[in-house]
Amino acid sequence: MDRKIGQLSQNTAESAPMIARPAMSMGAAGSRPAFLYVSIRDLLSRKISSGELPPGTVLKEAPVAGQLGVSRAPVRRALALLAEAGLIFEAGGQGFKVGQAAPVQLPLRQLHQILTGEPEEIDRSPSWERIFDEVREEITAAMPFGSWRIQEAALGDHFHVSRTVAREVLWRLMDRRLVDKDSKSHWIVGQMTARDLRETLEMRALMEPAALVQVLPGLDRAWLARLEARVAALIRAFPQVEPQALDQIDQAMFQEMFAGLRNSRLLASIRRNQISLVVPHLFRHHFPLTDDLAALLDYARILHHLGRDEAEAAQVLMRSHLLRIGRLTLARLRVLSLLPPPRRVTWLIPAHQGGL
Amino acid sequence: MTDTVLRVIGTPATLTPELRARAAADLPFGIQFEVLDGLDCQRRGVMAPESFDVYDQWFHSLDLLWTAASIRPIDTTRLARWDEVTIAGTRPGANGRQPGSWPGSLLYAQSDRSLAATPQPGAAPQISMLPTTYNVDSFVWTPDMSALRRAEEAESWAWLLDGRWHGRAALAADPAASVVELALAARAAGLVDIADPGDLTIEEIDALFAVLMPLRRSGHFTRFWATSDDAVRLMTPQGSGGGPVISALWSPAYYAMRAMGRDLHYAVPGEGYRGWHSGLCLSAALSGERLEMAYAWLNWWLDGVPGAIMARQGYYMSVVQPLRDTLTPAEWAFWYAGEPACEDLAGSDGQIVVRRGERREGGSYQDRVARIAVWSTIMPEHNYLIRRWREFLGD
């Protein structure tokens, strides 16, 4: 079986159209990163540069997470970023190792001392912001696979935050229509249905072209030009492109694009109706990217006109793109039903009885 | 003779022992058959295109494979009999919206990779799946049931849900067939309002299962069968105690039981039949020698012998003339023309499945096809439906 069964959560934890924007992740605490994975990445990077973690040291997700008292997901992400930066390398199924030297397993006690030698090495302050994107990502990844109940207390435990913070996150997700409360006041993630997709895509086709005209005057031209160049590069390289790169383009086209909307109600409505972005995101991590080329070509045309201040042409193209992808998105949802459900997380439990 | 082997995956409905034996004798290369049940076959088709060369299954799964980019378009110029291919008696490309997955609606690949009912203008047609065999299905009922049935009571899908034979009704496990049958049944019984049994809304799905779950829990249904052989086993229980008296059934199972001498009625429900269509797809991973072999396999399928093997288990074929030339006049008269058998007729395995004087239920193939109420389908709300269905099966 060549297709990536059972890797859903791994893939989705690392990048997504609806995930954090690292560049904007600075929290309220001054220079302290708002996201746990950034803190962990910085910590490990410091320890590698200082030589405390010598070349060859094996770094595995579970022991690092255990010693730091955090969940595995942010560690996984931090390790991936360090690998991308060339500080650590895959150690053949043994996690990662520092530099190119032969792998060395540090005793756990020593690893503990190195990682937690200084107080406040990493930011573990309770903050809904810090975990919001990760929770959202887990939830959206589970949506095509049934209805789920969220256990508030387990969610808090999982992320080492208080129940108040967990609740804060869930209220905000409810505002995005990603979670709901049932008649017994349980937090519920409803199954994504074909109707949800059809209706939200109709809403998107009404709102996003209109929003495009509103944001165009304020859009950073350099940002637009860079985005256009990225899309062009992907079209040239297609199909030799990474799914993550396509996820990032989707995020730029439909999320960053509208971030400057002055009409906050319009912006909120747009965000509430973008669940259809989850489908190509999940799909392209398991299946060939074949049908994403047509989307890239649509984006290239839209960006071309935006770059020339031709708002109306861009608007028409955006609308026709959103109408075009309807049938494909519904077909992809049916295909997703053949995948095994994502890895279980303790705080998300299947809610039987489909019609909640 | 080459060492390369063509890998065909499909279900027992078409990959019968007779077809496999004949293919091995007729074709100049080796063929490896992998016979799976319908749902496993679909999963393989979607998840592992490298693991097969030809996919032989139902049209309603086509959209899954195409969307997952598991299959490649078929060049019709490489099909010697393409001009003779008809879908369930209709010319390909002829329009006609029919409930469920009408095979013609997704036949032609377009340059933007969408599928349509008509070819892309300006070039030789590229198709997503080669239509091969098809049939119309309903259910079977036994003499045990006749005793409980009112005289002259018309055959209806509603019988599947009827409490008079509580505990003795059976269904297929594949929701693409069973859910449309149950939708027809619940609508005919006046239990659920359903606008289109081939495209249920969320509310209709919930309403349908609100009827089905209590029936299931109270033991109305015996069990759910996966293949024709499985259905035959279910319908012929060992020892004392009766098996189901009513069951959704495919024609190979019906004729297999007729060969055993079982007295059974294949129903012509007032609400109409459920239609289905099979076809062949080429794996996206095919190239070179294997691709040539795959086209040879497709062409062989249209040549008459496979169609005749299918006809002797009650199936129809997309290319008629070579099949008609292969069947005896007596076989053609019974299976296709709907006339009384003028002699005993054997099934593909040589057993007598039709006795002289018997007439096929529903009449000629034109008459039977004209009574299709809905095609087997993977509905738009499949993703929602499948979870309700698994719950219903008791997973």
Side-chain angles (χ1 to χ4, degrees):
Chain A
M1 306 272 163
D2 62 315
R3 295 186 171 180
K4 298 170 234 164
I5 309 175
Q7 290 183 9
L8 199 62
S9 342
Q10 267 188 15
N11 287 325
T12 53
E14 275 145 28
S15 75
M18 304 180 85
I19 208 169
R21 293 165 224 168
M24 298 164 67
S25 65
M26 304 302 274
S31 62
R32 178 180 278 176
F35 290 93
L36 198 50
Y37 72 90
V38 179
S39 300
I40 298 168
R41 179 198 64 188
D42 293 348
L43 168 69
L44 293 173
S45 157
R46 278 200 306 278
K47 300 288 179 189
I48 291 168
S49 317
S50 70
E52 285 174 82
L53 287 171
T57 305
V58 171
L59 294 173
K60 288 193 216 169
E61 220 173 278
V64 172
Q67 296 313 317
L68 289 172
V70 299
S71 66
R72 290 169 66 154
V75 175
R76 186 185 312 141
R77 189 146 187 217
L79 291 174
L81 290 170
L82 290 168
E84 216 169 278
L87 286 174
I88 60 174
F89 296 86
E90 291 222 18
Q94 289 295 306
F96 294 90
K97 58 172 182 159
V98 176
Q100 299 280 30
V104 183
Q105 297 273 0
L106 288 190
L108 272 185
R109 174 186 291 264
Q110 200 181 336
L111 186 66
H112 180 82
Q113 279 168 354
I114 295 168
L115 293 181
T116 60
E118 307 155 38
E120 290 300 304
E121 283 279 23
I122 58 168
D123 169 23
R124 263 179 267 142
S125 61
S127 145
W128 67 267
E129 279 181 58
R130 212 187 65 204
I131 66 167
F132 180 80
D133 290 295
E134 208 177 319
V135 176
R136 179 174 59 183
E137 181 59 23
E138 289 281 5
I139 283 174
T140 50
M143 286 173 84
F145 301 95
S147 298
W148 308 81
R149 216 174 101 190
I150 301 172
Q151 294 193 306
E152 202 176 274
L155 175 65
D157 291 347
H158 180 82
F159 287 100
H160 306 281
V161 297
S162 69
R163 202 158 166 169
T164 317
V165 170
R167 200 173 297 139
E168 173 77 19
V169 168
L170 293 173
W171 280 114
R172 283 169 194 275
L173 289 166
M174 189 152 120
D175 189 48
R176 299 266 179 110
R177 299 279 195 280
L178 294 175
V179 305
D180 208 348
K181 282 206 155 209
D182 70 5
S183 53
K184 291 177 193 151
S185 209
H186 293 138
W187 295 103
I188 292 296
V189 181
Q191 168 154 24
M192 185 189 292
T193 64
R195 175 187 295 169
D196 292 335
L197 289 178
R198 224 171 17 236
E199 291 182 355
T200 55
L201 275 164
E202 277 174 25
M203 294 299 287
R204 290 187 62 192
L206 291 174
M207 292 187 295
E208 292 181 27
L212 208 50
V213 177
Q214 289 194 23
V215 291
L216 181 56
L219 278 182
D220 176 354
R221 299 299 132 147
W223 178 83
L224 263 183
R226 280 197 306 276
L227 182 55
E228 194 176 353
R230 276 163 68 201
V231 170
L234 287 172
I235 290 172
R236 280 194 303 275
F238 204 87
Q240 267 73 50
V241 300
E242 289 300 314
Q244 286 83 354
L246 296 172
D247 288 346
Q248 284 159 10
I249 296 291
D250 274 355
Q251 186 191 309
M253 283 299 298
F254 302 108
Q255 296 186 327
E256 290 163 28
M257 184 76 82
F258 300 119
L261 262 183
R262 287 218 182 145
N263 181 335
S264 61
R265 288 165 198 272
L266 180 56
L267 180 59
S269 299
I270 287 174
R271 296 222 158 127
R272 276 181 206 142
N273 283 285
Q274 287 185 325
I275 60 159
S276 56
L277 289 177
V278 172
V279 173
H281 164 56
L282 295 178
F283 193 89
R284 61 173 68 115
H285 287 271
H286 295 272
F287 298 104
L289 306 173
T290 318
D291 287 318
D292 285 320
L293 179 59
L296 286 174
L297 294 169
D298 286 352
Y299 299 167
R301 285 187 283 267
I302 294 167
L303 292 166
H304 172 80
H305 289 289
L306 286 176
R308 296 168 171 225
D309 274 320
E310 293 162 357
E312 277 180 32
Q315 190 178 25
V316 168
L317 290 167
M318 178 72 108
R319 191 175 144 73
S320 76
H321 167 74
L322 291 168
L323 294 175
R324 184 181 67 74
I325 59 171
R327 190 164 131 175
L328 176 64
T329 310
L330 291 175
R332 285 176 158 190
L333 178 68
R334 287 194 291 275
V335 175
L336 288 176
S337 74
L338 293 183
L339 290 177
R343 176 179 57 99
R344 287 286 178 80
V345 286
T346 50
W347 48 273
L348 209 50
I349 53 172
H352 289 294
Q353 185 65 20
L356 283 154
Chain B
M1 188 93 178
T2 162
D3 290 340
T4 312
V5 169
L6 185 72
R7 300 163 304 164
V8 177
I9 64 167
T11 69
T14 49
L15 299 184
T16 64
E18 296 77 23
L19 183 111
R20 284 145 60 192
R22 190 58 196 254
D26 284 1
L27 290 163
F29 46 78
I31 306 165
Q32 177 196 317
F33 295 96
E34 202 173 339
V35 185
L36 302 163
D37 81 27
L39 297 174
D40 286 344
C41 190
Q42 273 165 33
R43 193 179 299 274
R44 270 285 292 287
V46 168
M47 301 305 299
E50 282 79 13
S51 73
F52 64 90
D53 300 318
V54 176
Y55 173 85
D56 178 343
Q57 235 231 29
W58 301 303
F59 252 86
H60 59 255
S61 65
L62 167 63
D63 161 62
L64 298 178
L65 273 82
W66 186 261
T67 304
S70 288
I71 51 174
R72 54 177 287 154
I74 298 168
D75 177 359
T76 55
T77 62
R78 305 203 51 191
L79 302 172
R81 295 188 185 274
W82 170 247
D83 289 340
E84 300 169 52
V85 171
T86 60
I87 294 174
T90 329
R91 293 301 304 175
N95 264 321
R97 158 97 186 112
Q98 300 186 43
S101 295
W102 179 61
S105 62
L106 294 177
L107 189 61
Y108 293 100
Q110 312 291 303
S111 58
D112 66 356
R113 266 200 34 94
S114 62
L115 297 176
T118 51
Q120 171 101 9
Q126 302 276 310
I127 54 171
S128 51
M129 190 175 213
L130 173 63
T132 55
T133 193
Y134 63 95
N135 199 9
V136 302
D137 285 348
S138 69
F139 55 89
V140 74
W141 51 281
T142 71
D144 289 348
M145 206 188 100
S146 338
L148 301 164
R149 174 186 174 223
R150 288 186 295 277
E152 304 304 311
E153 185 181 347
E155 291 170 320
S156 167
W157 285 104
W159 286 4
L160 287 178
L161 306 177
D162 199 311
R164 284 175 288 175
W165 27 87
H166 177 86
R168 305 189 72 185
L171 293 169
D174 184 349
S178 280
V179 173
V180 297
E181 292 175 353
L182 288 165
L184 287 170
R187 183 165 77 175
L191 296 168
V192 181
D193 283 332
I194 285 169
D196 177 352
D199 182 5
L200 301 180
T201 65
I202 300 286
E203 288 75 17
E204 288 167 343
I205 293 169
D206 285 343
L208 179 61
F209 283 91
V211 168
L212 295 177
M213 290 305 283
L215 280 172
R216 163 84 174 155
R217 289 196 193 102
S218 70
H220 177 78
F221 303 104
T222 55
R223 94 174 156 82
F224 302 84
W225 50 263
T227 61
S228 281
D229 284 350
D230 190 19
V232 171
R233 278 194 296 277
L234 175 63
M235 295 291 290
T236 47
Q238 304 296 313
S240 62
V245 296
I246 180 168
S247 177
L249 205 72
W250 297 342
S251 72
Y254 172 72
Y255 290 104
M257 284 191 278
R258 291 293 298 138
M260 297 173 192
R262 286 287 301 274
D263 186 11
L264 297 164
H265 303 270
Y266 204 83
V268 186
E271 300 82 20
Y273 290 109
R274 176 181 53 75
W276 58 267
H277 212 303
S278 256
L280 304 173
C281 294
L282 301 180
S283 164
L286 266 179
S287 65
E289 188 183 6
R290 279 224 176 93
L291 181 60
E292 300 304 307
M293 287 156 61
Y295 273 110
W297 175 252
L298 265 49
N299 279 306
W300 178 76
W301 250 98
L302 303 183
D303 266 352
V305 167
I309 293 171
M310 294 297 114
R312 295 183 190 114
Q313 57 175 4
Y315 292 175
Y316 303 123
M317 186 64 201
S318 59
V319 173
V320 174
Q321 199 52 48
L323 156 80
R324 189 170 187 167
D325 297 341
T326 310
L327 291 177
T328 66
E331 285 177 322
W332 173 267
F334 176 83
W335 295 111
Y336 271 75
E339 291 165 14
C342 59
E343 60 189 45
D344 286 357
L345 298 176
S348 293
D349 62 357
Q351 305 241 45
I352 298 300
V353 294
V354 174
R355 274 106 193 146
R356 190 172 167 208
E358 288 174 4
R359 203 169 167 211
R360 192 167 191 183
E361 113 291 333
S364 72
Y365 83 101
Q366 290 97 335
D367 292 340
R368 294 179 83 239
V369 166
R371 280 201 206 101
I372 294 175
V374 54
W375 292 86
S376 293
T377 188
I378 291 177
M379 302 183 188
E381 292 291 6
H382 176 74
N383 206 34
Y384 182 80
L385 174 66
I386 192 78
R387 271 151 254 282
R388 301 302 317 263
W389 181 252
R390 284 180 196 148
E391 205 183 348
F392 176 63
L393 292 193
D395 281 6

